Amino acid sequence: MKLSFSLLLLLLLPSFKKSPVFLCFFFTISPLLVQASPPPLIPIQVFSLLSLKSSLNDPQNSLQSWNPTQILSNSSPLWCSWSGIKCAQNTSLIISLDLSSRNLSGEIPPEIRHLSSLKNLNLSKNSFEGNLPTSIFELSELRILDISHNNYNSTFPDGISKLKFLRHLNCYSNSFIGSLPLDLTGNQNLEYLNLGGSYFIGSIPAEYGGFPRLNFLYLAGNMLNGSIPSEFGLLTQLQHVEMGYNNFDGYIPKELGMLSNLEYLDISNCSLSGIVPQEIGNLTSLATLLLFSNNISGVIPSSFSNLKGLQVFDLSNNKLSGSIPEGISELKKLSFLSLLCNELSGNVPEGVGDLPLLEFLLLWNNALNGSLPSRLGTNGRLQKLDVSSNRLTGFLPEQLCSGNTLEKLILFNNGFSGELPRSLVNCSSLLRVRIENNMFNGSIPFGFGQLPNLTFMDVSKNNFSGKIPSDLGIAPKLSNLNVSENFFGSELPDGIWGGPSLQIFSASFSGISGKIPDFKGCKSVYQIEMEGNSLNGPIPWDIGHCEKLIALNLKKNMLTGIIPWEISTLPSINVVDLSYNNLSGSIPSNFDNCGTLEIFNVSFNRLTGAIPSSGSIFPNLHPSSFMGNEGLCGNMLGKPCVPGSPVAGAADASDKEPRKTAGAIVWIMAAAFGVGLFVLIAGSRCFHANYSRKFSEGKEIGPWKLTAFQRLNFTADDVLECLAMSDKIIGMGATGTVYRAEMPSGDIIAIKKLWGKQKETLRRRKGVLAEVEVLGNVRHRNIVRLLGCCSNKESTLLLYEYMPNGSLDDLLHGKNKGENLVADWLTRYKIAFGSMSVIAGSYGYIAPEYAYTLQVDEKSDIYSYGVLLLEILCGKRSVDSEFGEGNSVVDWVRTKIKMKNGIHDILDKNAGSSCTSVREEMMLVLKVALLCTSRNPADRPSMRDVITMLQEAKPKRKSPTLARGESGDHVIEINGCDDHDKSDVATLGEKK
């Protein structure tokens, strides 16, 4: 069909009357309208394209080549060379329109139906939203329709059955709601069907088992329920099925065993129960089987030995029992085997060690016993071995790293014994070694420190003896070294702190003797733990080189000499525990100026003199931090420093001094008398002030008050005593320090001690306490519960439910950069989806309506949760000076969204937002966060809806190894129980 050019102008006038393109076009060809006879004829498909262009928002000007002014200047069909257009060979008929990845928005106009020869329409990876236009269903020749990665958010419209020739339909990653389109069953030529990544609800229609040519079916990441139709067994051409991340009822239908052409089956994370049908063993073409994170019970079917083509096998996170079938050893193409987090027992089949292509063996958290297969690793391909938390025994196979490919050796919590294989020190691919809590003996082989990629090494809780290898002090990438609870019986090697990347060094209760090596080269170290050894001699004065040191624990050794004042100069020092040693001299007064110090324990030494009383640090410490030092004095010990009182060690020192002349003695006595008089006067005033402040009825401070928001099994005195004795700092924030404390009742709580140097006025403190009381009524599993509050007129302690995984602030922004989450979107997502929670009462998390309602309900919780999501996405704190005075991350994000390319500033590049697939996942979570932080509480979703939306956004990755199916973008994720190998994501409460 063709139109006259004048008619074309009339048709385009409503669309183009405000367009500069039209004006240029009109004045260019207007002479032709007068002079040309007859008027030129224009194909209606060009009219359709120009209507489409006028209806779209094209910020990248990607349709610039669609220039109507050139239509009459050439007899050839120029539109066939326009961007995204493809015509049939030797004709002017448009058969393909590809507008993908152009950041387009707007509407698809009804005129698109005039592209009647169109066989391929690709609108993917744009910003289309609203209703899917039914005019597309008028394109009767259409074979391929791709609308994936948009935001169509209505129900799927009727009419698609008109596309009788449709073979390929991709609707992945939209926001469709309602039921799956039943009308689709009229498309009997479908070969590829992808309806994943939306919000479809209800059950899968049984009629979906009636596509005779279907070879690819993707329904993953929706909100589907009901049972998986047994009619799927009729889809005999199926090669690829993904239905994971839904909420199905019932079992895996045995009829799936009829799909003889099936190569890829993923029904993971779907709440399936029952057993794995024996019939699945009939799928002899199967290469990938993913059934992880369900409630499947029973045994692994013996028929699985028939799956000769299986490459990826993941049944992790289920309730499987029994033993690993011997037939697994017959799957010679197997490269990925994960059975972790089940209830399996018995031995690991010896033949598993002979699998020629095995790269990943993940069996942790079962009840397996016996030894590892003796030939494991001889294939030269093994990359990750994780059999931790079982009951395995015996020696390690010598050739675990024969191909120099082993990256992670995770064996903790077993009964392995013998010496470590010497071959491991030549394994240059090795990244992580976690063999703690076994029975390994002998010495640690020399050579680990020369491995170029080793970042983490934990050999604690074994029976190692001999010398600690000196080369560990030069390891180029080693950041965490833990040799605690062994029996070395030797000195620390010189230069142990010299590793350029070393951040944590733990050697507690490990039989170490001798002197502490000089601290030269320890610039990156932030935690040193050497409690319970036989270290002697002084603490080296050059500890000032450890400029990033946060925690120093030298408790229970035999150290002598003085406390180096250089410790007080460390800019981030927070914990110093020197208790139970033989240190002498006085406490350096410099510590008064150490603003970051929270714990300073020097009890049970031989210290003398006055405890510093000025500044904001020492007056707030508990007297137990100084007990056991007979020569110490000070008001907090109830032992005022009296002039003329004997000083420990003075007699011995005087015996060594030469006799003084009488005149000198007179001058010394006079000076001493003057100083003593001054000290007496100042000390009495200080004592009076402190005594009246701390121990009187308290006109200034007053008694401690415990406000409980639920029934508590402890008192205010219990809290104060436990806080004084606690050395478990689990986090530091902008407003205070958080401790882990065990109450006498056995309850474990988190105590947030607000910074003393940020004291509010009485009026403001009353407001804080009133707000705390309201927040104490918050009850939600995704918000940390506030149990109570201890306060007096000077200090405030907030008592929270203890969350063993630490705080989000620690993980995203903490000083422990070796342990935080700055580079891992997958882990950040897991935190967002689990109960790593925020403290709802912190400024920046409080919903705006609280200012006038003074009420906190679930919608307020949702707001707090949304702020948490934004922190995870942006890598920024909820409140930061970057946002401007009085603004939070919510305000900042809203401002950025309105700016061109502002979205790129929002998503944290450290989490991988520069990667297209990661950015798409983060964008889905960003949408959730924006809904949660809506100004109007009524617009915020329920937590149930939030969880559902987050499920859709779940990353599909499991490891760096891709297992690509026909979808081309599915990535195998190393899945597992949430609390495993937390050194990948450090646990700030207790280390495993």
Side-chain angles (χ1 to χ4, degrees):
M1 179 179 180
K2 296 184 178 180
L3 298 175
S4 70
F5 205 72
S6 56
L7 178 58
L8 174 64
L9 283 178
L10 292 176
L11 291 172
L12 293 182
L13 185 59
S15 300
F16 278 151
K17 61 184 178 180
K18 296 182 180 180
S19 169
V21 174
F22 168 76
L23 294 177
C24 176
F25 174 52
F26 180 84
F27 288 112
T28 300
I29 54 85
S30 57
L32 296 175
L33 296 179
V34 178
Q35 299 173 7
S37 180
L41 298 179
I42 302 299
I44 195 171
Q45 58 184 357
V46 176
F47 161 68
S48 180
L49 292 176
L50 296 178
S51 297
L52 177 61
K53 179 179 180 180
S54 68
S55 299
L56 298 179
N57 299 316
D58 182 13
Q60 299 174 359
N61 202 18
S62 64
L63 303 180
Q64 184 178 11
S65 63
W66 293 21
N67 187 353
T69 63
Q70 300 176 3
I71 293 177
L72 299 179
S73 63
N74 197 308
S75 59
S76 62
L78 290 181
W79 56 86
C80 292
S81 63
W82 287 357
S83 174
I85 304 297
K86 181 179 179 181
C87 293
Q89 191 172 6
N90 299 324
T91 73
S92 61
L93 296 177
I94 299 173
I95 60 172
S96 178
L97 175 59
D98 186 351
L99 300 180
S100 62
S101 303
R102 297 171 185 254
N103 198 23
L104 299 173
S105 60
E107 298 182 356
I108 305 297
E111 288 81 6
I112 196 173
R113 67 181 184 274
H114 296 307
L115 299 177
S116 57
S117 299
L118 202 63
K119 299 181 186 299
N120 176 21
L121 176 60
N122 192 341
L123 303 176
S124 67
K125 299 180 180 177
N126 284 294
S127 300
F128 296 118
E129 57 185 6
N131 298 320
L132 179 65
T134 55
S135 54
I136 292 176
F137 301 156
E138 304 296 324
L139 302 172
S140 59
E141 295 295 318
L142 209 60
R143 267 70 168 172
I144 300 174
L145 175 59
D146 192 340
I147 58 170
S148 63
H149 299 282
N150 281 288
N151 193 31
Y152 288 116
N153 52 18
S154 64
T155 58
F156 200 93
D158 291 335
I160 196 170
S161 60
K162 298 177 183 178
L163 303 179
K164 300 298 183 182
F165 301 107
L166 191 66
R167 297 196 306 263
H168 183 112
L169 176 61
N170 190 353
C171 305
Y172 177 72
S173 189
N174 276 279
S175 299
F176 287 112
I177 59 175
S179 303
L180 291 172
L182 188 59
D183 188 39
L184 194 61
T185 57
N187 301 81
Q188 291 293 292
N189 288 307
L190 269 181
E191 299 174 3
Y192 180 105
L193 175 59
N194 190 335
L195 297 174
S198 276
Y199 302 107
F200 287 115
I201 60 174
S203 58
I204 303 173
E207 290 84 351
Y208 274 32
F211 296 110
R213 299 184 180 182
L214 196 66
N215 57 52
F216 184 102
L217 177 62
Y218 191 108
L219 301 174
N222 281 291
M223 301 165 61
L224 299 173
N225 52 33
S227 59
I228 298 174
S230 60
E231 287 80 0
F232 275 4
L234 302 176
L235 302 174
T236 55
Q237 300 302 310
L238 268 183
Q239 299 176 17
H240 191 113
V241 175
E242 295 187 48
M243 295 185 288
Y245 301 92
N246 282 291
N247 193 28
F248 296 128
D249 304 324
Y251 313 140
I252 301 171
K254 64 181 180 180
E255 288 79 6
L256 294 182
M258 301 167 59
L259 305 178
S260 58
N261 292 307
L262 197 62
E263 299 175 359
Y264 193 108
L265 177 61
D266 181 355
I267 324 180
S268 55
N269 207 337
C270 282
S271 302
L272 293 170
S273 56
I275 64 171
V276 181
Q278 286 278 354
E279 288 79 2
I280 299 297
N282 298 331
L283 304 178
T284 55
S285 299
L286 202 62
T288 298
L289 176 60
L290 304 176
L291 300 176
F292 61 84
S293 295
N294 284 292
N295 295 311
I296 300 171
S297 57
V299 301
I300 301 173
S302 59
S303 62
F304 276 21
S305 61
N306 298 325
L307 304 178
K308 305 297 185 183
L310 200 61
Q311 301 170 23
V312 176
F313 184 22
D314 193 341
L315 287 175
S316 60
N317 279 318
N318 280 289
K319 298 178 180 178
L320 296 168
S321 57
S323 60
I324 302 174
E326 290 288 339
I328 296 291
S329 303
E330 301 176 23
L331 308 182
K332 300 302 182 183
K333 294 186 178 180
L334 199 61
S335 64
F336 183 100
L337 175 59
S338 178
L339 301 174
L340 54 89
C341 288
N342 278 287
E343 300 167 10
L344 298 172
S345 57
N347 297 335
V348 180
E350 181 66 21
V352 169
D354 294 317
L355 293 175
L357 303 178
L358 188 65
E359 298 177 357
F360 293 85
L361 180 59
L362 310 176
L363 304 176
W364 61 271
N365 200 17
N366 281 285
L368 299 170
N369 52 39
S371 59
L372 289 176
S374 59
R375 292 177 52 80
L376 187 62
T378 54
N379 65 0
R381 292 174 174 265
L382 192 63
Q383 295 182 31
K384 180 171 182 179
L385 173 64
D386 191 341
V387 294
S388 55
S389 298
N390 279 285
R391 301 169 185 171
L392 297 169
T393 57
F395 299 167
L396 293 187
E398 183 68 30
Q399 301 301 320
L400 282 176
C401 191
S402 62
N404 213 19
T405 57
L406 186 65
E407 296 179 354
K408 296 186 178 182
L409 180 62
I410 315 294
L411 311 174
F412 63 83
N413 294 347
N414 278 289
F416 291 114
S417 58
E419 297 188 1
L420 291 181
R422 297 273 171 181
S423 58
L424 289 177
V425 300
N426 298 317
C427 187
S428 60
S429 58
L430 207 54
L431 299 173
R432 299 176 64 80
V433 175
R434 291 201 60 188
I435 60 172
E436 68 266 27
N437 201 16
N438 279 285
M439 300 173 65
F440 291 111
N441 53 38
S443 60
I444 299 174
F446 184 91
F448 279 110
Q450 301 179 36
L451 298 180
N453 298 304
L454 186 64
T455 61
F456 189 101
M457 187 173 183
D458 190 341
V459 299
S460 63
K461 298 182 181 179
N462 279 285
N463 297 324
F464 288 116
S465 58
K467 293 185 177 181
I468 297 174
S470 59
D471 64 334
L472 292 176
I474 60 171
K477 293 186 178 180
L478 187 62
S479 63
N480 193 316
L481 176 60
N482 192 342
V483 297
S484 298
E485 298 187 51
N486 281 287
F487 303 93
F488 294 109
S490 60
E491 299 181 356
L492 285 173
D494 290 335
I496 189 64
W497 326 107
S501 303
L502 187 64
Q503 297 177 339
I504 298 177
F505 178 77
S506 300
S508 298
F509 303 102
S510 53
I512 296 175
S513 58
K515 300 183 184 302
I516 299 176
D518 290 342
F519 285 104
K520 293 178 181 177
C522 71
K523 290 186 177 181
S524 62
V525 178
Y526 63 77
Q527 183 173 324
I528 296 176
E529 298 178 348
M530 293 194 291
E531 176 184 351
N533 287 290
S534 300
L535 293 168
N536 55 49
I539 301 172
W541 64 268
D542 58 1
I543 194 171
H545 291 162
C546 306
E547 55 192 35
K548 295 183 179 179
L549 195 63
I550 295 174
L552 175 65
N553 185 353
L554 300 177
K555 181 179 181 180
K556 294 183 180 178
N557 280 282
M558 295 185 290
L559 298 171
T560 58
I562 63 172
I563 299 174
W565 64 267
E566 287 83 1
I567 298 177
S568 68
T569 66
L570 299 174
S572 302
I573 193 66
N574 187 255
V575 176
V576 176
D577 194 337
L578 307 177
S579 60
Y580 292 93
N581 279 285
N582 295 315
L583 297 172
S584 58
S586 61
I587 299 174
S589 59
N590 310 63
F591 281 101
D592 265 347
N593 301 318
C594 186
T596 60
L597 197 62
E598 280 293 314
I599 291 179
F600 184 79
N601 193 341
V602 292
S603 59
F604 298 97
N605 278 281
R606 298 180 179 178
L607 299 174
T608 59
I611 298 173
S613 58
S614 60
S616 60
I617 303 300
F618 284 86
N620 292 319
L621 295 177
H622 195 271
S624 61
S625 298
F626 306 98
M627 66 174 56
N629 292 277
E630 293 298 325
L632 281 181
C633 57
N635 290 334
M636 71 168 55
L637 294 177
K639 183 181 178 181
C641 299
V642 180
S645 60
V647 179
D652 293 339
S654 64
D655 289 341
K656 299 178 182 178
E657 291 293 326
R659 292 184 176 271
K660 308 295 182 182
T661 63
I665 293 175
V666 170
W667 281 109
I668 292 173
M669 291 180 64
F673 179 80
V675 172
L677 183 61
F678 173 80
V679 170
L680 178 62
I681 295 172
S684 62
R685 289 182 177 178
C686 180
F687 173 77
H688 176 74
N690 277 281
Y691 184 85
S692 60
R693 179 169 59 91
K694 289 181 179 283
F695 302 104
S696 70
E697 274 298 306
K699 292 183 179 180
E700 296 179 22
I701 297 178
W704 285 95
K705 176 185 177 183
L706 174 62
T707 303
F709 304 122
Q710 66 177 60
R711 184 175 179 180
L712 301 178
N713 297 321
F714 50 83
T715 66
D717 290 338
D718 294 332
V719 172
L720 298 174
E721 186 66 22
C722 286
L723 182 63
M725 300 300 293
S726 175
D727 59 355
K728 295 289 186 180
I729 291 182
I730 57 176
M732 293 180 64
T735 58
T737 301
V738 183
Y739 300 84
R740 176 187 182 275
E742 183 173 353
M743 298 292 106
S745 61
D747 294 333
I748 298 178
I749 66 172
I751 303 175
K752 184 171 185 179
K753 180 181 179 183
L754 301 185
W755 292 118
K757 57 187 178 184
Q758 295 180 347
K759 298 175 183 175
E760 309 93 337
T761 63
L762 181 60
R763 178 182 61 81
R764 289 185 61 199
R765 286 180 50 76
K766 286 183 178 178
V768 169
L769 295 178
E771 176 181 276
V772 163
E773 186 168 358
V774 175
L775 293 169
N777 296 318
V778 174
R779 296 290 184 270
H780 198 282
R781 72 181 185 91
N782 290 93
I783 303 296
V784 172
R785 202 160 31 150
L786 183 61
L787 304 177
C789 169
C790 277
S791 63
N792 58 23
K793 291 184 179 180
E794 184 179 83
S795 301
T796 301
L797 306 175
L798 303 182
L799 314 178
Y800 288 99
E801 177 184 16
Y802 175 64
M803 304 296 289
N805 288 334
S807 72
L808 177 69
D809 188 81
D810 293 326
L811 295 172
L812 285 179
H813 318 296
K815 298 174 182 177
N816 302 6
K817 293 300 182 185
E819 298 183 356
N820 63 21
L821 307 180
V822 295
D824 188 353
W825 167 243
L826 179 60
T827 306
R828 294 194 194 192
Y829 172 85
K830 289 181 178 178
I831 289 173
F833 195 73
S835 282
M836 291 291 292
S837 308
V838 300
I839 294 177
S842 300
Y843 174 67
Y845 294 97
I846 302 175
E849 69 270 16
Y850 176 76
Y852 54 87
T853 65
L854 296 180
Q855 294 180 354
V856 177
D857 55 17
E858 189 196 31
K859 293 298 186 180
S860 306
D861 297 356
I862 298 300
Y863 185 94
S864 299
Y865 191 71
V867 177
L868 176 144
L869 294 180
L870 291 178
E871 281 197 76
I872 290 174
L873 289 161
C874 306
K876 299 180 182 296
R877 290 185 169 88
S878 60
V879 178
D880 195 286
S881 58
E882 174 187 355
F883 307 151
E885 185 176 354
N887 290 333
S888 69
V889 68
V890 178
D891 305 297
W892 181 78
V893 168
R894 286 173 178 162
T895 301
K896 283 290 183 182
I897 284 179
K898 297 176 183 178
M899 301 168 60
K900 184 178 181 180
N901 298 324
I903 196 70
H904 298 296
D905 296 330
I906 292 174
L907 302 180
D908 189 359
K909 294 180 177 61
N910 288 325
S913 66
S914 57
C915 173
T916 302
S917 60
V918 173
R919 183 168 61 253
E920 291 169 357
E921 294 160 359
M922 295 178 75
M923 286 287 290
L924 292 175
V925 176
L926 179 60
K927 293 177 183 178
V928 179
L930 292 174
L931 285 174
C932 292
T933 54
S934 298
R935 287 188 173 90
N936 185 358
D939 294 336
R940 299 172 198 155
S942 66
M943 184 55 74
R944 180 178 181 180
D945 291 336
V946 170
I947 297 299
T948 302
M949 289 186 284
L950 286 178
Q951 283 180 323
E952 190 274 334
K954 183 167 185 175
K956 303 300 187 293
R957 290 172 306 287
K958 291 182 119 183
S959 81
T961 303
L962 298 182
R964 294 185 180 272
E966 288 193 12
S967 60
D969 59 358
H970 187 83
V971 185
I972 299 300
E973 174 185 12
I974 295 181
N975 194 19
C977 304
D978 293 338
D979 61 349
H980 175 68
D981 196 13
K982 280 294 176 54
S983 51
D984 278 326
V985 181
T987 306
L988 298 184
E990 298 180 1
K991 298 184 181 66
K992 286 185 66 177

